Amino acid sequence: MSRISPLQKARAAYQPKLPVALRNGAAVKVNEGAPTTSAGDVEAIAKLFPNTFGSPALTFETAAEKGSFAPINVGVILSGGQAPGGHNVVSGIYDGLKSLNADCRIYGFLKGPDGLVKSEAMELTDEIIDAHRNTGGFDMIGSGRTKLETEEQFLAAKKSCEERGITALVIIGGDDSNTNACVLAEFFKANNIGINVIGCPKTIDGDLKNEWIETSFGFDTACRVYSEVIGNVERDANSAKKYWHFIKLMGRSASHIALECALQTQPNIAIISEEVAAKKMTLGEIVDQIANVVAARAAKKLNFGVALIPEGLIEFVPEIKVLIAELNELLAANDAKLADLDAAAKAEFAAANLQTNSAAVFKSLPAGIQNQLCNDRDPHGNVQVSLIETEKMLAEMVKGRLKEMKAEGKYDGKFSTQVHFFGYEGRCAAPSNYDADYCYSLGYNAAALIGAGRTGYMSLVRNTTLPADQWIAGGIPITMMMNMERRHGADKPVIRKALVELDGAPFKYFASKRDEWAIETSFVYPGPIQYFGPSEVCDQITWTLALEKGAK
Ligand code: FBP
């Protein structure tokens, strides 16, 4: 047997908590709410999903009696970027199904939706599941970003399932992957194919949430890992007192991670993309804002600090947002012509063919950023913002601005920078107690949805700021979260991302404190995730969730 760490060994014995409704097994009493609609574009979504649109929201209660359940085979897919707790979702599904009937069998499709299309899967056994309980990563079966959208893929998925006698699929993923789940559920139902599809809300980005889904799994753990390291960097900055650290934090679109980490660590600066968009700030104004804080601290002889930059920032600067939208259309329209060109050649093509305004914005960006903006989009049409070095760009631009300010007599200090990008470091961490419990419950609950014969639903576990005794289990139709968006040059149905709300409690709290954090050195050092020990250190919830639910 390969060596495992002492923590992994001790952690394997951790028994995650479950909502009361699921404690006697995944056979539950189902309560149906009113019919639902969609997050936007109701008519278009209803037309595209005639068989799954409008289903009621569900809540579960303990069943009066267990009843009998014929054994079934179920497929599981881990989809998109890794998030801590994915293995616990799978082990929850496994245990939940076995509670329905010990002869149920579970197959893991390999490398994400691709495994479903290519019919590559492995049966999950007690031994495999036990080796992965409470561990981070998606390595049990792998993950991928293949978008399921063609009829050919759907029919291949049907065949892969039929080959294994699979009658239910669970897709564990973010907004794009759950969009896949919804489209597949609709296709199967429309064509009388007896395969039900259930989704589970995963993404460290924290942007798959709404009035029903409180948070996506992995957000808690990932933010704790980043906050630990930000705290360490802050302490280094405060010890050496010679560097400004520019830290880019993952989160493709929304700034939930940057905001949560700011709440945990109290840095001098945290840019929130949604505010940049709302205030229609230019890149120059963001640079001015940072430079002014650097100058104010320098006036107090504090030539050091920490600035958090959300990964998705660039897409929220209005002028760059327009530029990216035009670039997307241009690159998609000239796909074949550009296929063999490298990013620099694509950038040259873009500079020559963009409309006047966007061409000017494009040309004003450093060459490296121009090339990065022309990199291939991911299979869902998203710009791969993790590859864009916004932190370096801003550090350079602030340096330039400070030089001007010095000449104008508005700044007198030293400015040396270090740049960091924290993203991949947190996505596969061993899940915190919160994520270990939440994920196991989401998986177990997905088994309950399967047991109840539902399709096109997302697994729902809520009230998680309270003790697990008060958690609510159930499901909501995925169509309820959908609207139409422009992707790859066409209008597509997708789950609406939950961005940071500027009138929400987490941002408001941050906004009330940030001026003080900017000038004073108010750093907080959260330290590493604790898995064992006093409940107040092991069982914390995120500031975001606590503030949203009025628990802080
Ligand atoms: P998901 O939306 O699939 O959960 O992934 C989120 C994310 O971690 C983003 O924060 C990041 O921009 C992106 O994935 C990176 O993607 P990749 O793993 O393909 O480099």
Side-chain angles (χ1 to χ4, degrees), residues 148-388:
L148 299 176
E149 56 183 346
T150 65
E151 186 156 337
E152 200 185 344
Q153 287 175 314
F154 300 156
L155 292 171
K158 168 182 178 276
K159 190 161 168 275
S160 305
C161 289
E162 284 173 354
E163 279 165 8
R164 296 169 181 85
I166 288 174
T167 53
L169 268 178
V170 184
I171 298 184
I172 302 163
D175 50 345
D176 289 329
S177 311
N178 276 287
T179 297
N180 282 350
C182 196
V183 170
L184 202 56
E186 176 66 28
F187 178 83
F188 287 156
K189 208 160 173 199
N191 292 285
N192 288 321
I193 297 165
I195 306 169
N196 290 344
V197 187
I198 301 297
C200 281
K202 170 235 71 166
T203 177
I204 61 160
D205 293 2
D207 56 8
L208 178 47
K209 63 175 177 180
N210 50 49
E211 56 164 320
W212 289 85
I213 305 284
E214 290 177 339
T215 187
S216 54
F217 79 76
F219 176 69
D220 180 275
T221 309
C223 288
R224 287 191 199 289
V225 173
Y226 305 142
S227 296
E228 177 205 350
V229 193
I230 293 164
N232 295 350
V233 167
E234 287 180 340
R235 205 146 206 170
D236 194 284
N238 199 16
S239 304
K241 302 195 192 299
K242 63 175 181 182
Y243 290 126
W244 264 92
H245 293 266
F246 281 65
I247 303 176
K248 182 174 82 170
L249 288 165
M250 247 190 192
R252 191 208 333 269
S253 191
S255 301
H256 297 292
I257 294 179
L259 179 56
E260 172 63 26
C261 292
L263 294 168
Q264 289 194 30
T265 62
Q266 303 189 178
N268 306 104
I269 296 167
I271 307 289
I272 302 300
S273 306
E274 290 81 347
E275 186 182 28
V276 166
K279 291 186 171 166
K280 299 192 176 20
M281 289 173 79
T282 62
L283 207 47
E285 284 167 335
I286 299 170
V287 170
D288 281 350
Q289 184 182 317
I290 302 174
N292 288 341
V293 173
V294 174
R297 283 178 67 78
K300 296 179 73 178
K301 304 277 175 257
L302 302 171
N303 288 300
F304 65 93
V306 170
L308 304 185
I309 315 294
E311 184 186 64
L313 173 65
I314 197 137
E315 288 193 285
F316 283 75
V317 178
E319 69 215 22
I320 300 188
K321 190 176 176 183
V322 174
L323 161 66
I324 289 175
E326 277 181 33
L327 258 182
N328 286 347
E329 301 278 332
L330 186 68
L331 298 177
N334 293 279
D335 211 15
K337 197 195 300 181
L338 302 173
D340 296 329
L341 299 186
D342 63 11
K346 283 184 194 167
E348 210 174 298
F349 174 84
N353 290 283
L354 281 163
Q355 288 168 25
T356 344
N357 276 354
S358 288
V361 174
F362 189 70
K363 285 177 199 160
S364 73
L365 297 171
I369 301 287
Q370 289 181 8
N371 294 352
Q372 287 158 14
L373 282 174
C374 291
N375 275 326
D376 288 342
R377 292 347 187 204
D378 79 2
H380 299 269
N382 301 306
V383 176
Q384 298 190 60
V385 282
S386 63
L387 304 178
I388 298 179

Side-chain angles (χ1 to χ4, degrees), residues 410-483:
K410 292 181 185 155
Y411 166 66
D412 181 20
K414 284 190 187 142
F415 185 66
S416 301
T417 56
Q418 294 288 350
V419 290
H420 315 261
F421 170 34
F422 298 150
Y424 298 98
E425 296 84 344
R427 299 199 309 181
C428 284
S432 60
N433 284 354
Y434 178 88
D435 272 327
D437 296 344
Y438 182 49
C439 291
Y440 184 75
S441 296
L442 283 172
Y444 209 101
N445 187 65
L449 283 163
I450 292 169
R454 303 294 166 148
T455 192
Y457 275 82
M458 186 176 285
S459 177
L460 169 86
V461 174
R462 55 189 311 217
N463 260 8
T464 60
T465 52
L466 301 173
D469 284 357
Q470 295 168 58
W471 289 9
I472 293 169
I476 58 161
I478 303 178
T479 45
M480 197 177 161
M481 295 176 246
M482 298 189 92
N483 68 171

